[in-house]
């Protein structure tokens, strides 16, 4: 019985998040897991999103995955777009989809920079019910 069946890889379409998606896909290939690539449309104070915006994000996510994940082979990838606040939406998706692992990259900021900007990764580490694997932005040599 496989320990990892579903891996969640959140993305904001940045180069940094692409590293996390690539890592999740490589891991999924190695263990035979399914990957869910998630993009969260960040809501403003109106808490609404138009259908056009949702469709644009779905198209952009499809293009992002196509460029980011080379040699898909028989890798099972599903692309999901939701609206909300990033950390909460990722935790909700992980619980709803019953994922076994969340894989994401981090910018590696600390101290005052992290306090001022906030950290989705930090919030996930504190609130996710499943393990969270954090891929460093630039591997230490």
């Amino acid at each position: 019985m496989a320990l990892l069946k579903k891996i969640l890889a959140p993305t904001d379409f940045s180069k940094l998040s692409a590293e996390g998606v690539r890592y999740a896909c490589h891991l999924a290939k190695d263990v035979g897991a399914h990957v869910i690539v998630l993009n969260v449309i960040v809501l403003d104070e109106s808490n609404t999103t138009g259908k056009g915006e949702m469709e644009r994000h779905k198209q952009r996510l499809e293009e992002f995955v196509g460029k980011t994940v080379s040699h898909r082979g028989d890798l099972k990838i599903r692309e999901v777009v939701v609206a909300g606040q990033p950390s909460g939406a990722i935790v909700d998706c992980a619980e709803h989809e019953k994922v076994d692992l969340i894989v994401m990259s981090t910018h590696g900021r600390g101290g005052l920079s992290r306090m001022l900007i906030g950290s989705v990764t930090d919030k996930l580490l504190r609130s996710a019910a499943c393990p969270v694997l954090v891929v460093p932005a630039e591997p230490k040599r």
Side-chain angles (χ1 to χ4, degrees):
M1 182 162 101
L3 183 61
L4 297 176
K5 295 178 184 172
K6 282 187 186 178
I7 299 172
L8 180 63
T11 182
D12 60 3
F13 305 127
S14 68
K15 286 182 181 182
L16 180 62
S17 72
E19 291 302 316
V21 170
R22 275 193 283 277
Y23 195 96
C25 289
H26 286 296
L27 179 59
K29 279 184 183 179
D30 288 347
V31 300
H34 179 96
V35 177
I36 300 168
V37 182
L38 173 69
N39 174 252
V40 179
I41 300 173
V42 180
L43 294 176
D44 60 16
E45 56 277 345
S46 70
N47 270 346
T48 60
T49 181
K51 183 176 179 170
E53 185 174 12
M54 184 68 76
E55 291 304 318
R56 283 190 299 277
H57 274 258
K58 286 180 181 180
Q59 178 64 37
R60 190 169 175 202
L61 182 57
E62 184 178 328
E63 292 168 4
F64 176 84
V65 170
K67 290 177 185 174
T68 303
V69 182
S70 59
H71 310 296
R72 288 174 74 158
D74 54 353
L75 180 63
K76 296 175 189 154
I77 299 177
R78 187 158 49 96
E79 299 154 7
V80 176
V81 176
V82 297
Q85 295 307 312
S87 59
I90 294 167
V91 168
D92 289 347
C93 181
E95 290 174 1
H96 175 76
E97 295 285 346
K98 296 178 176 51
V99 301
D100 302 300
L101 179 68
I102 300 170
V103 176
M104 61 188 303
S105 53
T106 184
H107 50 67
R109 290 187 193 119
L112 184 59
S113 177
R114 190 182 92 205
M115 287 180 359
L116 292 174
I117 296 171
S119 172
V120 172
T121 304
D122 187 51
K123 289 176 185 176
L124 280 177
L125 289 170
R126 297 171 191 271
S127 61
C130 67
V132 178
L133 175 64
V134 180
V135 179
E138 293 181 25
K140 304 271 188 230
R141 302 206 191 264

